[in-house]
Amino acid sequence: MPPAQFVNTYADTLPDLVTAIKPTAVYRPQVQIINQALWHELGLPTAWQDNDTLMGLLFNRDSELTKHSVAQKYGGHQFGQWNPQLGDGRGVLLTELITPDQQRIDLHLKGAGPTPYSRHADGRAVLRSTIREYLASEALHHIGIPTSRALCLISSAEPVYREQQESAALLIRTAPSHLRFGTFEYFYHDRPAGSSPDTAPDKLTQLMNYTLNTHFPEALAADNPHLAMLTSVISTTAQLVAKWQVAGFNHGVMNTDNMSIHGITFDYGPFAFFDDFEPHYICNKSDHQGRYRFSQQPSIGLWNLNALAQAFRPFVDVASLTDALDQYESILITQYHQLMVSRFGLNDVTDSALAMVAMFMELLQNPARDYHHSFRQLCGHSDWQSIKALRAEYVDITLFDQWVAAWESEVEAQQIDFATLQARLSGTNPHTVLRNHHAQAVIEAAQDGDYSLFNAYLSALSDPYNEQSKIERFASAPVAQDKGIALSCSS
Ligand code: AMP
Ligand code: MG
């Protein structure tokens, strides 16, 4: 395989939108986890995996990874309020790569030390949040949800202070770019007071041109390339949120600075996969109003796209923006329905299939049942009798009987034989998802220097449909006191 090529198109093309900055060394850094499959896919030299070599690459000023490193400026709507004071406060864009298969990928170092956007904070990330981001991004990737990826986790002996003293860690992550909704919003709103909302500040024009040329070249052929680009972001965002809703994933902090223009899951904070199915669950303890509760994610996705669309006003008339935004809901619902029926082994989204899905969701709610376990329990049966025996687990057995009858007749109507049905169910309902109580156990072991639990959980999460990769401890539903752990934003 040819090696990766290093390029710096963002820093080179948009020098006024970044600040050149080098990572600040930490005390006793140690590479703990490397994503070997991803490392290989990116075409990075294997020799770089050596601890001293990698630390040299990260912390020497003129290495292949730091020669052109920058902090990117952005703003964002946080809990509905516009905040222009954001930017890479603890991360740097090391370099971009052209991978052996010609993908364009950012290498970003999170926890790299202070930058001009740190706002008096320490520029570090704690081990706890770094482990959570690593596990979550890999877990989502392996169940088919677009996301940034984790390439490498580095621990350190450097103390950092949050609610208590913790140790700093660094994460190298990858994404097609680190362009956020808030990047566009910032360069739109950063303008002389009183200027018309339909005029484009120079830096916004530069950013738009760069993004079109670099990331949305197919939009250049459209009558209005900016509209085509925005339409694409609307579509990928709608599909992403639909995937979260089907998978039972709560992002937790859908501020516009945490929304990627590539429609990928991005900037992991106090996220949670469901334990019990609670549609209005709030996983972020700092979210006092429940703005980002699970059931709000679809409408917040649209709210965020509206904020992004504002930055397109100088390039697209308002009626076209509105029309583009109007497509969001139907894209999301279509995707949601398709993926939801596929969790029951079905192909076709019929009214009767959707009624059957609604019955099952009702069964999961009253009383609340473990979301993932309830789906996975549909797998591994040899006949319908065996599936019907699950009724012993349900309180509302009348509804259970109605639901299973509706499912069986839908499977028949869609002409799916039982073996095919079972194969599909095992391929769409993971045996293992990331649970906060297991992540907590992994973190506590890692804080004591033991990464074996991390590796074990990661291997199950990386092969989540294959029964051979299942580890009972990580696959079972949690006991009552371990359910529904909510976390704060502190990381
Ligand atoms: P986040 O909560 O990670 O999405 O970050 C929100 C904003 O706060 C971004 O501009 C971050 O760069 C900044 N930030 C968060 N934590 C730190 C930190 N420890 N040091 C400096 N900046 C930070
Ligand atoms: Mg963020």
Side-chain angles (χ1 to χ4, degrees):
M1 269 224 300
Q5 280 173 262
F6 298 91
V7 293
N8 300 281
T9 62
Y10 197 79
D12 291 348
T13 316
L14 304 169
D16 297 340
L17 279 61
V18 299
T19 303
I21 190 102
K22 310 293 176 197
T24 309
V26 280
Y27 183 52
R28 290 187 22 214
Q30 181 64 48
V31 176
Q32 294 292 355
I33 315 283
I34 292 181
N35 189 334
Q36 294 295 345
L38 182 58
W39 191 281
H40 184 70
E41 209 179 293
L42 297 178
L44 292 169
T46 310
W48 287 11
Q49 296 192 1
D50 169 68
N51 196 60
D52 289 348
T53 309
L54 188 58
M55 294 319 132
L57 284 156
L58 293 177
F59 299 120
N60 291 344
R61 295 183 68 79
D62 266 322
S63 80
E64 197 83 68
L65 295 184
T66 60
K67 253 187 283 189
H68 304 282
S69 59
V70 293
Q72 293 176 293
K73 177 63 193 163
Y74 55 85
H77 277 90
Q78 299 186 304
F79 293 92
Q81 301 296 315
W82 172 239
N83 182 354
Q85 307 283 335
L86 304 175
D88 285 335
R90 55 166 163 178
V92 299
L93 173 59
L94 293 169
T95 182
E96 299 153 41
L97 298 179
I98 308 291
T99 68
D101 57 358
Q102 300 303 302
Q103 287 181 67
R104 175 182 292 281
I105 297 289
D106 276 5
L107 284 191
H108 177 101
L109 182 65
K110 189 165 180 180
T115 79
Y117 314 123
S118 298
R119 296 179 293 166
H120 308 295
D122 58 12
R124 297 300 185 191
V126 295
L127 180 61
R128 160 175 62 86
S129 68
T130 310
I131 288 177
R132 283 173 50 79
E133 173 156 351
Y134 197 123
L135 290 174
S137 54
E138 290 311 292
L140 262 64
H141 173 75
H142 289 286
I143 55 170
I145 301 186
T147 173
S148 60
R149 303 283 307 274
L151 180 64
C152 177
L153 188 152
I154 299 156
S155 67
S156 84
E158 180 139 330
V160 287
Y161 303 91
R162 299 293 182 262
E163 281 94 14
Q164 57 195 25
Q165 183 178 318
E166 301 188 45
S167 57
L170 299 101
L171 181 74
I172 307 180
R173 72 174 177 203
T174 69
S177 86
H178 280 67
L179 288 167
R180 305 144 192 271
F181 290 11
T183 317
F184 294 83
E185 291 176 87
Y186 178 79
F187 291 105
Y188 172 79
H189 291 295
D190 184 35
R191 57 172 63 240
S195 69
S196 155
D198 293 328
T199 58
D202 284 349
K203 289 179 190 171
L204 179 67
T205 304
Q206 290 169 26
L207 175 64
M208 289 283 185
N209 289 341
Y210 167 84
T211 309
L212 278 165
N213 288 316
T214 313
H215 297 293
F216 294 84
E218 64 290 348
L220 291 168
D223 288 344
N224 184 328
H226 292 81
L227 176 59
M229 173 162 75
L230 179 65
T231 303
S232 168
V233 180
I234 290 168
S235 171
T236 53
T237 303
Q239 291 174 57
L240 175 68
V241 177
K243 287 177 181 149
W244 290 348
Q245 299 308 106
V246 171
F249 177 76
N250 301 246
H251 182 282
V253 58
M254 288 174 72
N255 293 334
T256 58
D257 49 304
N258 294 336
M259 299 289 294
S260 160
I261 58 152
H262 302 288
I264 62 173
T265 316
F266 193 63
D267 265 19
Y268 290 84
F271 66 83
F273 275 91
F274 276 137
D275 290 314
D276 285 349
F277 178 48
E278 293 175 51
H280 305 300
Y281 184 61
I282 305 166
C283 68
N284 180 352
K285 263 199 218 161
S286 318
D287 183 5
H288 305 296
Q289 312 292 322
R291 180 180 174 86
Y292 299 136
R293 66 175 71 238
F294 180 78
S295 51
Q296 288 265 97
Q297 295 191 130
S299 54
I300 290 294
L302 181 58
W303 194 97
N304 289 345
L305 285 161
N306 267 282
L308 174 66
Q310 178 76 21
F312 282 72
R313 273 192 62 173
F315 310 97
V316 184
D317 63 88
V318 171
S320 302
L321 289 178
T322 309
D323 285 350
L325 289 164
D326 280 349
Q327 297 168 27
Y328 172 86
E329 189 177 341
S330 67
I331 297 171
L332 190 151
I333 289 173
T334 304
Q335 173 84 110
Y336 178 82
H337 285 164
Q338 188 63 58
L339 292 174
M340 214 56 186
V341 302
S342 76
R343 294 200 76 161
F344 295 87
L346 302 170
N347 293 324
D348 302 333
V349 179
T350 59
D351 289 346
S352 45
L354 293 178
M356 178 278 295
V357 171
M359 271 187 237
F360 190 71
M361 301 311 265
E362 172 81 32
L363 274 174
L364 297 193
Q365 265 184 84
N366 300 314
R369 285 179 55 87
D370 187 84
Y371 189 73
H372 313 285
H373 192 55
S374 300
F375 276 106
R376 186 69 185 184
Q377 272 189 322
L378 309 179
C379 307
H381 298 277
S382 47
D383 55 29
W384 281 102
Q385 271 330 100
S386 159
I387 293 180
K388 286 172 186 168
L390 289 171
R391 85 198 284 265
E393 289 215 3
Y394 285 79
V395 174
D396 188 345
I397 49 174
T398 311
L399 183 59
F400 179 90
D401 290 345
Q402 279 171 6
W403 160 72
V404 87
W407 184 27
E408 188 175 4
S409 73
E410 193 62 29
V411 168
E412 208 167 285
Q414 297 197 18
Q415 298 182 330
I416 301 161
D417 65 67
F418 197 82
T420 307
L421 176 76
Q422 281 298 322
R424 285 189 190 161
L425 291 172
S426 316
T428 48
N429 297 301
H431 56 63
T432 304
V433 297
L434 183 56
R435 311 269 193 172
N436 276 342
H437 69 296
H438 289 320
Q440 193 51 38
V442 166
I443 288 164
E444 283 165 20
Q447 285 168 336
D448 291 337
D450 175 6
Y451 285 80
S452 58
L453 213 50
F454 182 111
N455 281 312
Y457 201 13
L458 187 63
S459 73
L461 290 167
S462 300
D463 196 11
Y465 301 112
N466 177 2
E467 211 44 37
Q468 313 308 315
S469 306
K470 186 164 120 180
I471 299 171
E472 206 49 57
R473 161 174 190 174
F474 296 127
S476 52
V479 296
Q481 72 264 26
D482 287 338
K483 284 180 185 175
I485 298 173
L487 292 139
S488 76
C489 278
S490 149
S491 62

